[in-house]
Amino acid sequence: MSEKVEKLIEDVKALSVMELSELVSALEEEFGVSAAAPVAVAAAPAAAGGEAPAEKSDFDVVLASVGDQKIKVIKVVRELTGLGLKEAKALVDGAPKPLKEGVAKEEAEEMKSKIEEVGATVELK
């Protein structure tokens, strides 16, 4: 791997979840592509084969709505994501937004219950 690529990988590792989300959006816009398209294309052949789909193992935890206890929701979001106060507030203010993507079912259910305890609504996708 070239030094440029290695440096870029290190820079991406240092980004917060919100910054990564902004980066993906900017790349999609700049190059006219969608990060979601390859997933849909890959899933199509399995469905066409007539096989029963396997049980989903990875879930995206999406904050659907905040409810009326916004401060408590921000605290729980910070706890679950490791975001700073500013990033967690921006995520909560921008709901619906993904909190974590590609998490195991048990972790996703645990996150959902913690957030719902403080009055917010969560979707698992």
Side-chain angles (χ1 to χ4, degrees):
M1 225 181 309
S2 72
E3 281 187 41
K4 284 183 179 180
V5 173
E6 288 177 6
K7 181 176 180 343
L8 183 60
I9 290 171
E10 289 303 314
D11 290 344
V12 169
K13 285 181 181 178
L15 296 176
S16 71
V17 174
M18 292 299 295
E19 291 168 332
L20 283 172
S21 175
E22 291 174 16
L23 175 62
V24 169
S25 296
L27 289 172
E28 288 175 341
E29 187 175 313
E30 178 70 25
F31 296 107
V33 296
S34 173
V39 174
V41 172
E51 297 177 15
E55 184 177 330
K56 188 173 181 174
S57 61
D58 292 355
F59 291 86
D60 295 341
V61 181
V62 179
L63 179 65
S65 67
V66 178
D68 56 356
Q69 297 185 36
K70 183 176 171 181
I71 293 173
K72 288 183 180 180
V73 174
I74 292 171
K75 287 180 181 180
V76 173
V77 167
R78 287 187 68 203
E79 172 190 330
L80 295 173
T81 63
L83 293 174
L85 179 59
K86 182 178 179 181
E87 292 85 4
K89 183 180 181 308
L91 192 148
V92 170
D93 287 342
K97 288 275 189 173
L99 294 175
K100 274 195 175 179
E101 297 177 335
V103 297
K105 184 176 183 178
E106 291 175 4
E107 182 181 357
E109 291 289 342
E110 184 179 323
M111 290 177 71
K112 180 179 179 181
S113 67
K114 284 184 178 183
I115 294 172
E116 288 180 342
E117 284 177 14
V118 293
T121 306
V122 176
E123 296 176 0
L124 300 180
K125 295 184 177 185

